[in-house]
Amino acid sequence: MELLTLSKVEFDYEEELTAIQSKLNSILGVRVKLNKIREIDLEAFYSYDRGQFNAAKIIEAISGECENYHVLLTSVDLFIPIFTYVFGLAKLNGKCAVVSTHRLDNEFYGLPENINQLRDRIVKEVVHELGHLLGLQHCPNYYCVMASSTSVDELDLKGNNYCPDCKTQIVLKNS
Amino acid sequence: MVQSQIKILIVDDDEIVRDSLSAWFKEDGYNVDSCENANEALKKISNTNYDIYFLDIKMPGMDGIELHKRIKNIYPDALVMIITAYASVDTAVKALKDGAFDYITKPFDPDYLSHVVKNAVKQKILTDENLRLKESLQSALPVPEIIGSSKKMQEIKDSIKTVAPTNTTVMIRGESGTGKELVAQSIHLQSERKYSQMVSVNCGAFSESLLESELFGHEKGAFTGALYRRKGKLELADGGTLFLDEIGAIHPKTQVELLRVIETKEFTRVGGSEAIKTDFRIICATNSNLEEDVREGRFREDLYYRIRVYLIELPSLRERISDIPELTQYFIDKYRRKMNKPIEGITQEALDLLMRKNWPGNVRELENAIERAMVVSTGRELTKDDFYFQKDEESQISSGLTLADIEKQHIITVLKENDWNISLAAKILGVDRTTIYHKLKTYGIERP
Ligand SMILES: [Zn+2]
Ligand SMILES: [Zn+2]
């Protein structure tokens, strides 16, 4: 069974995709299929007021074509109406999620580029959003990938895998 | 979980705000309720004592400011957060003077919001007479196992037990790969701070200005390209433990600043003026001779005495060869589970090889060697042939080489085995890339 499909749109790190994919493979222990999604046009989700793209609407738009779990990678800046930004978004128990690299990149904070770190951050975000799709809420364990992180520092602090409690929950919820 | 015992009430006439905020807090495990106007809120309050309130300033009928006053009359300790648009920040600031906990502007900065809520929860726990809340804080994480029963390691384990529950600053000294971070983690998780995180910074991995930003954070516009505020590790370590690895690599200017933080428990972000209070325990680690750095003026003496309150010296693997069998079995078990390979143990011959070998990269190098051997092994036991270095062994041992010669040869062997990939070789040897480059230069090693 393919558990997770990755796709991309306006994604700036194509050359990193294989590495991201194999990292996800070893964490999740499933085959991660790389899918080039039918190029969706992001224009429709752009807010001229905010200068950002509406993550909730993007998820809504792609959910029609999700068969298995699906995470869309992009490099545009994402928001939802009540928040100034989101790193990613997933609907609890849904099928589709979106992850943006925009604020995961050190250069956004005026720091030198660090591609290894960026790759780790992307992987953590994907595993985190997938956790929501699998029915997990945020985890109080600081080192668990399901810990809530609203800054890259918090993202760097946590691990890239589910803690034992979260793993047990995944099994319970999906059996 | 503590969150499920915290009750939040959101009062806002905007359905999107109610729904999104509720969903966000529920995701964090809080107990959330919401309503669209002040009258409804007052009804709910008469039945339930909420812990944290989010009140929109502008609502039809009674506004958030008036509602805030009413709530405070009933529950003087209520933590009230005012929701406002940029246009009415002035009114919100007035509400602060009337005792509101904080205000947040729409759209919310998720990082700020999460910070505010964590503070409110902390406040709640501190003022709460009910100790059950404290006790129900997340269950402790498992303390990492420190492997080895040699006398040296027994002493280390005893030291950890002694110092962990105190708030004392600890310095851990040991060669690279001896497990300094593991010891730090073990101390942290056996202390009262275990409910907060341990934050690690490798001071040797940053240039002076980057280390400053890493530790202290920076404000938007602090330097060219700093488009966004960034929290530093000192802020993240609040309530927990700050682990500073390679402390000897800190530049003089940053040493002064660090000393000030240790003494005042206060700091400002780079480019900022707001004093931020923080409470953390420091554990430092070094693989260099810090006393020499002090004598030669590279490391401040006052800082040195501040951090060297309790010293733990980790032995190199050479000094505890008797632990190698136990360590080997531990790593075999670890990677058997990880790789799902039916490898149960190791032959005596192979174990002898491991016990004879010189391990400049210490336990980390041993672990990497076993991991690699397990990848290539096809049997139920690891054999001598599964270890990449066994071929070179005899020539090295028999020809009476100096330690430096052996190190040189070993580096060349590992580089050859890995197609001269420096990063990979560094990983296997358990040192960083800079060390490898340095050794290449020292020994005049060149790629053929
Ligand atoms: Zn999340
Ligand atoms: Zn978890």
Side-chain angles (χ1 to χ4, degrees):
Chain A
M1 186 189 81
E2 281 138 6
L3 182 65
L4 177 65
T5 302
L6 278 185
S7 64
K8 57 164 179 77
V9 59
E10 297 206 26
F11 181 64
D12 293 344
Y13 308 94
E14 272 227 55
E15 64 285 357
E16 293 302 319
L17 276 174
T18 344
I20 291 171
Q21 193 185 0
S22 69
K23 197 118 194 226
L24 284 169
N25 255 328
S26 72
I27 294 168
L28 302 170
V30 291
R31 217 159 61 118
V32 179
K33 194 166 88 178
L34 203 61
N35 214 351
K36 227 178 104 184
I37 194 167
R38 172 179 64 86
E39 272 304 304
I40 60 167
D41 187 5
L42 286 182
E43 178 83 28
F45 312 111
Y46 186 70
S47 154
Y48 285 89
D49 293 350
R50 305 273 301 249
Q52 294 168 301
F53 293 79
N54 189 321
K57 290 199 169 154
I58 294 177
I59 292 183
E60 220 179 275
I62 55 173
S63 60
E65 47 195 278
C66 299
E67 283 161 30
N68 44 18
Y69 294 113
H70 190 144
V71 179
L72 176 69
L73 296 173
T74 183
S75 295
V76 301
D77 197 13
L78 300 176
F79 79 101
I80 58 172
I82 66 153
F83 286 134
T84 48
Y85 65 88
V86 289
F87 289 162
L89 192 69
K91 223 172 140 182
L92 200 65
N93 293 308
K95 282 282 181 201
C96 303
V98 59
V99 166
S100 161
T101 63
H102 192 83
R103 288 167 193 261
L104 303 183
D105 187 347
N106 265 349
E107 285 183 317
F108 180 80
Y109 304 93
L111 301 168
E113 187 176 39
N114 184 338
I115 199 77
N116 288 329
Q117 195 176 40
L118 176 67
R119 204 187 301 125
D120 288 346
R121 288 173 180 172
I122 296 173
V123 166
K124 285 178 191 177
E125 267 302 310
V126 172
V127 178
H128 180 95
E129 299 307 342
L130 177 67
H132 285 319
L133 298 180
L134 292 167
L136 294 180
Q137 299 197 323
H138 286 153
C139 179
N141 180 338
Y142 290 102
Y143 306 107
C144 174
V145 76
M146 289 315 290
S148 143
S149 28
T150 46
S151 69
V152 283
D153 309 276
E154 285 166 337
L155 196 57
D156 293 340
L157 188 67
K158 68 185 182 184
N160 61 16
N161 211 334
Y162 308 106
C163 73
D165 285 354
C166 285
K167 274 189 184 153
T168 314
Q169 279 204 51
I170 293 180
V171 176
L172 289 177
K173 282 180 199 282
N174 297 279
S175 59
Chain B
M1 182 163 68
V2 67
Q3 277 87 346
S4 62
Q5 295 188 37
I6 301 275
K7 291 200 273 302
I8 297 179
L9 180 65
I10 300 163
V11 189
D12 197 315
D13 57 323
D14 185 345
E15 194 184 341
I16 295 184
V17 173
R18 282 200 312 270
D19 289 352
S20 322
L21 263 192
S22 299
W24 202 68
F25 287 130
K26 276 185 189 147
E27 213 162 65
D28 277 342
Y30 294 105
N31 196 328
V32 198
D33 206 350
S34 69
C35 56
E36 58 182 305
N37 60 52
N39 282 333
E40 249 186 79
L42 289 169
K43 256 182 242 158
K44 280 184 184 287
I45 291 166
S46 64
N47 302 322
T48 315
N49 180 3
Y50 294 91
D51 300 298
I52 305 173
Y53 297 83
F54 285 85
L55 310 181
D56 186 21
I57 271 199
K58 267 174 122 180
M59 288 184 289
M62 188 192 298
D63 67 7
I65 299 292
E66 182 57 30
L67 179 58
H68 169 223
K69 284 184 193 149
R70 302 265 185 113
I71 293 173
K72 281 284 186 179
N73 276 336
I74 311 172
Y75 302 114
D77 291 336
L79 295 169
V80 178
M81 227 72 73
I82 302 290
I83 301 175
T84 171
Y86 271 107
S88 24
V89 164
D90 289 353
T91 329
V93 172
K94 269 188 216 134
L96 286 187
K97 292 196 182 112
D98 287 338
F101 186 73
D102 209 334
Y103 68 90
I104 47 172
T105 50
K106 280 189 263 193
F108 313 127
D109 178 332
D111 196 33
Y112 186 70
L113 182 61
S114 106
H115 186 70
V116 162
V117 173
K118 273 182 203 151
N119 275 348
V121 171
K122 216 184 258 173
Q123 175 95 355
K124 168 77 195 156
I125 291 172
L126 285 175
T127 54
D128 204 296
E129 307 261 298
N130 181 357
L131 277 170
R132 256 191 341 197
L133 202 57
K134 264 183 204 166
E135 285 159 9
S136 70
L137 273 164
Q138 62 173 126
S139 55
L141 297 160
V143 178
E145 234 181 314
I146 292 175
I147 308 299
S149 349
S150 58
K151 193 162 161 283
K152 283 223 151 105
M153 286 321 280
Q154 217 50 61
E155 283 167 17
I156 300 283
K157 287 181 204 173
D158 289 344
S159 302
I160 293 172
K161 264 209 197 90
T162 312
V163 79
T166 71
N167 216 8
T168 307
T169 303
V170 179
M171 174 130 85
I172 305 167
R173 183 151 49 195
E175 292 178 11
S176 76
T178 47
K180 295 187 286 288
E181 182 154 8
L182 191 70
V183 169
Q185 230 157 27
S186 177
I187 294 172
H188 171 69
L189 288 172
Q190 295 181 63
S191 77
E192 275 185 20
R193 297 175 174 271
K194 66 185 164 200
Y195 302 113
S196 291
Q197 63 271 55
M198 179 176 99
V199 176
S200 309
V201 182
N202 181 354
C203 303
F206 299 95
S207 69
E208 180 170 0
S209 59
L210 281 182
L211 180 63
E212 269 199 323
S213 158
E214 187 73 15
L215 289 173
F216 303 99
H218 65 241
E219 292 292 345
K220 187 172 161 181
F223 45 84
T224 350
L227 299 173
Y228 201 80
R229 181 172 64 79
R230 178 179 186 246
K231 268 193 245 177
K233 294 288 194 272
L234 296 184
E235 220 168 324
L236 279 172
D238 191 23
T241 302
L242 180 67
F243 175 60
L244 298 174
D245 202 358
E246 289 191 48
I247 184 95
I250 297 189
H251 301 261
K253 181 166 160 262
T254 317
Q255 287 175 26
V256 180
E257 280 158 2
L258 187 62
L259 181 65
R260 195 180 306 137
V261 182
I262 294 175
E263 283 172 349
T264 63
K265 302 276 175 201
E266 241 181 45
F267 70 97
T268 51
R269 298 194 190 101
V270 176
S273 52
E274 183 199 351
I276 298 162
K277 279 206 184 322
T278 177
D279 162 44
F280 52 77
R281 174 195 205 166
I282 290 196
I283 300 179
C284 315
T286 177
N287 52 19
S288 67
N289 186 342
L290 216 50
E291 288 74 22
E292 197 178 300
D293 290 342
V294 170
R295 266 195 308 277
E296 289 173 13
R298 284 189 300 270
F299 201 88
R300 292 183 67 96
E301 197 173 2
D302 41 8
L303 180 58
Y304 171 78
Y305 284 112
R306 270 277 172 191
I307 56 177
R308 213 213 98 141
V309 182
Y310 190 93
L311 181 69
I312 295 181
E313 295 217 55
L314 292 184
S316 66
L317 193 50
R318 290 182 301 286
E319 294 168 271
R320 55 175 187 123
I321 293 172
S322 65
D323 283 336
I324 289 183
E326 195 181 336
L327 283 162
T328 303
Q329 192 56 49
Y330 175 80
F331 292 133
I332 291 176
D333 292 342
K334 174 175 169 182
Y335 288 102
R336 178 184 51 233
R337 280 192 297 271
K338 217 169 164 181
M339 297 176 186
N340 217 354
K341 256 183 141 172
I343 301 169
E344 305 284 338
I346 183 166
T347 64
Q348 189 57 48
E349 192 188 20
L351 191 58
D352 288 343
L353 170 76
L354 298 185
M355 290 180 74
R356 270 200 309 275
K357 196 175 138 48
N358 177 35
W359 296 100
N362 293 297
V363 180
R364 195 186 300 147
E365 189 185 356
L366 175 67
E367 174 170 1
N368 292 336
I370 291 168
E371 183 184 2
R372 265 179 72 112
M374 288 189 62
V375 171
V376 296
S377 171
T378 49
R380 292 205 153 258
E381 280 185 322
L382 293 182
T383 67
K384 208 171 142 190
D385 296 329
D386 295 329
F387 291 92
Y388 63 94
F389 43 76
Q390 64 86 22
K391 297 168 221 122
D392 308 297
E393 199 212 10
E394 255 139 50
S395 63
Q396 279 184 15
I397 301 277
S398 58
S399 49
L401 299 165
T402 66
L403 201 58
D405 290 333
I406 292 171
E407 185 175 62
K408 179 179 170 182
Q409 272 202 6
H410 187 51
I411 292 172
I412 295 176
T413 313
V414 174
L415 279 169
K416 269 196 220 149
E417 287 280 333
N418 292 286
D419 238 359
W420 290 79
N421 180 327
I422 306 272
S423 303
L424 213 56
K427 197 182 164 239
I428 288 163
L429 292 167
V431 296
D432 56 25
R433 283 173 52 210
T434 343
T435 311
I436 299 269
Y437 284 121
H438 184 72
K439 299 275 183 200
L440 293 186
K441 220 171 134 194
T442 318
Y443 295 134
I445 302 173
E446 269 174 38
R447 190 182 175 154

